[in-house]
Amino acid sequence: MVRLSLALLSVILSSLSVDALPLSLQTSLAIVEIEQTLNRFSRSVDTHDYSILDTVFTDDAIANFADGTELYNLTTIKSALQAGLVGMISQHALSTQQVEVNSALQQASTVSYLQGTFFGQGNLTGQIYTTYGQ
């Protein structure tokens, strides 16, 4: 049995042209990249580092929240999250991520289940709010 370290695998893959990889491997790499993008959203919100959102959303993004709120464009999304999470510590957990990529690698769709737990600080100490959704 041959085991490759992640570092070695990364070196091998970076030395290859993505176009030269078999389609199934290209699809797998695309899926991992999409999952990492979803994970960066959680990290951005939990660390209050909203600059990370620049690597998650395009400038013309639309955010749809479970309560029906829709936010238009990256600047508005960042501002709303920043204002809404003042005084909160949060932990977001993503699970059951399903990513489908079309055969030409031109389009993808994803469903990911999310649980966000928010812990109040200061005058909100002791308050916990949990959200669930896709």
Side-chain angles (χ1 to χ4, degrees):
M1 176 187 307
V2 176
R3 292 183 185 218
L4 296 176
S5 71
L6 289 178
L8 179 56
L9 185 57
S10 176
V11 169
I12 292 168
L13 290 177
S14 66
S15 68
L16 298 173
S17 167
V18 173
D19 293 334
L21 296 174
L23 190 57
S24 61
L25 186 52
Q26 290 180 43
T27 301
S28 296
L29 291 172
I31 289 169
V32 169
E33 188 172 331
I34 291 165
E35 289 173 341
Q36 291 292 35
T37 300
L38 294 169
N39 292 333
R40 282 195 303 274
F41 172 81
S42 294
R43 191 175 83 232
S44 172
V45 172
D46 292 343
T47 63
H48 296 237
D49 183 352
Y50 302 103
S51 66
I52 295 172
L53 295 176
D54 295 335
T55 69
V56 175
F57 296 112
T58 58
D59 289 335
D60 61 348
I62 300 172
N64 301 297
F65 292 89
D67 68 357
T69 301
E70 287 189 345
L71 302 175
Y72 298 91
N73 76 52
L74 177 58
T75 302
T76 303
I77 294 167
K78 287 167 69 172
S79 296
L81 288 172
Q82 198 165 12
L85 295 172
V86 170
M88 300 295 266
I89 293 174
S90 64
Q91 181 180 11
H92 285 75
L94 299 174
S95 64
T96 316
Q97 291 182 336
Q98 180 179 355
V99 180
E100 294 181 4
V101 180
N102 74 352
S103 61
L105 298 176
Q106 297 292 324
Q107 193 171 26
S109 63
T110 182
V111 174
S112 183
Y113 289 85
L114 166 78
Q115 177 181 334
T117 304
F118 302 86
F119 305 90
Q121 302 296 301
N123 65 341
L124 300 174
T125 296
Q127 295 185 33
I128 298 174
Y129 176 73
T130 302
T131 61
Y132 303 88
Q134 298 184 9

